[in-house]
């Protein structure tokens, strides 16, 4: 195993409930736009989607597992059962509140995780799991209630194609760089990765943008043009502030 020093030794515990709520309210697409304003373009994982429709959002700092292609003399079911096996250690060492991010090389030739591992993560208080590969026993994984994101189902046993080599180091997942402690938000639109030093300001700005969009949607439903409304202007933002002060009234 290799490791990378990180300035936040307990990232899961330091992510406040307020920030988690703001991120969830904003949604992954809006948060991606907030990052684009800061020059960060490659933040949404390509091809990584919710395991099931309607699952609850996933929010938390990253704890990573990296795979390389398997080799027959090293990757056996007997070796997989060892308590020192990095795949199994990832399940036991991912911090509560964190998200297990699995770099599977974009491969669905073998499973990144199965239902027993998902159940253990759920019991330990982990926020969810993300892989650019796939899970086996996907229906059973879904029944655990752990928010999970994947590329596609991957029913074959992990040692068939994947060999774990590192925990808690920078990885690539869905074409996006993920550093330990980066914050992930996953929802129906996909998974966005937020650099840890930006998460508080991006979460607050994103939640504000989502609230403004509620106001804009009401105005559009009344027949108002997008011009001067969306994107917001100084005048429309003043209207929005008045609407908020009035208790956010709905359509008349």
């Amino acid at each position: 195993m290799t490791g990378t020093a990180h300035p936040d030794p307990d990232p899961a515990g330091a992510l406040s409930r307020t920030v988690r709520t703001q991120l969830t309210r904003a949604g992954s697409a809006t948060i991606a736009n907030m990052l684009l304003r800061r020059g960060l373009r490659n933040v949404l994982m390509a091809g990584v989607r919710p395991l099931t429709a309607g699952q609850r959002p996933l929010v938390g700092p990253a704890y990573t597992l990296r795979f390389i292609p398997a080799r027959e003399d090293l990757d056996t079911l007997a070796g997989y059962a060892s308590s020192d096996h990095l795949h199994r250690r990832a399940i036991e060492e991912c911090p509560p509140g964190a998200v297990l991010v699995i770099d599977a090389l974009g491969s669905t030739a073998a499973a990144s995780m199965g239902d027993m591992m998902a159940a253990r993560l759920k019991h330990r208080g982990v926020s969810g799991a993300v892989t650019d590969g796939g899970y086996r026993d996907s229906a059973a994984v879904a029944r655990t209630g752990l928010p999970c994101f994947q590329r596609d189902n991957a029913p074959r046993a992990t040692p068939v194609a994947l060999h774990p080599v590192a925990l808690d180091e920078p990885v690539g997942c869905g074409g996006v760089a993920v550093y330990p402690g980066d914050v992930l938000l996953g929802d129906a639109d996909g998974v966005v990765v937020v650099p840890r030093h930006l998460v508080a300001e991006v979460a607050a700005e994103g939640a504000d943008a989502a609230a403004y969009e509620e106001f804009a949607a009401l105005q559009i439903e009344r027949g108002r043009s997008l011009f001067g409304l969306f994107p917001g202007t100084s005048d429309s933002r003043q209207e929005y502030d008045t609407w908020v002060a009035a208790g956010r009234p709905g359509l008349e």
Side-chain angles (χ1 to χ4, degrees):
M1 182 187 75
T2 60
T4 297
H6 193 274
D8 183 358
D10 183 22
L15 189 62
S16 72
R17 184 182 301 273
T18 296
V19 169
R20 289 175 182 266
T21 300
Q22 289 173 331
L23 288 170
T24 301
R25 181 178 186 186
S28 62
T30 295
I31 292 299
N33 281 345
M34 301 304 104
L35 292 169
L36 180 59
R37 293 178 182 178
R38 291 160 173 82
L40 298 172
R41 298 175 179 273
N42 187 35
V43 295
L44 279 166
M45 293 184 181
V48 176
R49 297 290 179 263
L51 179 63
T52 60
Q55 73 177 16
R56 61 188 174 90
L58 169 156
V59 181
Y63 180 86
T64 63
L65 165 65
R66 182 166 65 88
F67 282 112
I68 62 172
R71 201 174 78 182
E72 287 79 1
D73 61 332
L74 297 176
D75 295 285
T76 65
L77 288 177
Y80 192 73
S82 168
S83 59
D84 291 331
H85 196 276
L86 289 184
H87 194 187
R88 291 157 59 84
R89 282 184 53 193
I91 303 303
E92 296 297 331
E93 295 177 20
C94 183
V99 174
L100 179 60
V101 181
I102 304 172
D103 174 2
L105 309 166
S107 174
T108 56
S112 294
M113 184 178 72
D115 59 325
M116 295 294 103
M117 287 182 164
R120 179 59 178 160
L121 290 174
K122 179 70 162 53
H123 181 78
R124 293 188 57 251
V126 171
S127 289
V130 175
T131 181
D132 58 0
Y135 305 116
R136 67 190 303 264
D137 306 313
S138 57
V141 171
R143 286 196 294 271
T144 68
L146 182 77
C148 291
F149 290 72
Q150 66 171 13
R151 181 179 299 276
D152 201 354
N153 293 338
R156 294 200 293 176
T158 306
V160 170
L162 297 172
H163 176 80
V165 292
L167 300 179
D168 209 28
E169 71 168 31
V171 300
C173 190
V176 177
V178 182
Y179 290 82
D182 283 350
V183 176
L184 277 72
L185 166 63
D187 57 20
D189 283 328
V191 180
V192 64
V193 180
V194 184
R196 185 51 187 265
H197 67 283
L198 294 175
V199 69
E201 63 184 77
V202 165
E205 187 176 315
D208 177 71
Y212 177 81
E213 287 181 10
E214 294 177 15
F215 165 76
L218 282 171
Q219 299 303 313
I220 290 168
E221 194 169 347
R222 288 175 174 145
R224 184 166 169 177
S225 168
L226 288 175
F227 297 123
L229 176 66
F230 192 82
T233 65
S234 58
D235 288 342
S236 69
R237 291 291 305 198
Q238 287 182 1
E239 291 182 62
Y240 164 72
D241 291 339
T242 300
W243 176 73
V244 170
R248 303 173 185 263
L251 290 170
E252 295 177 355

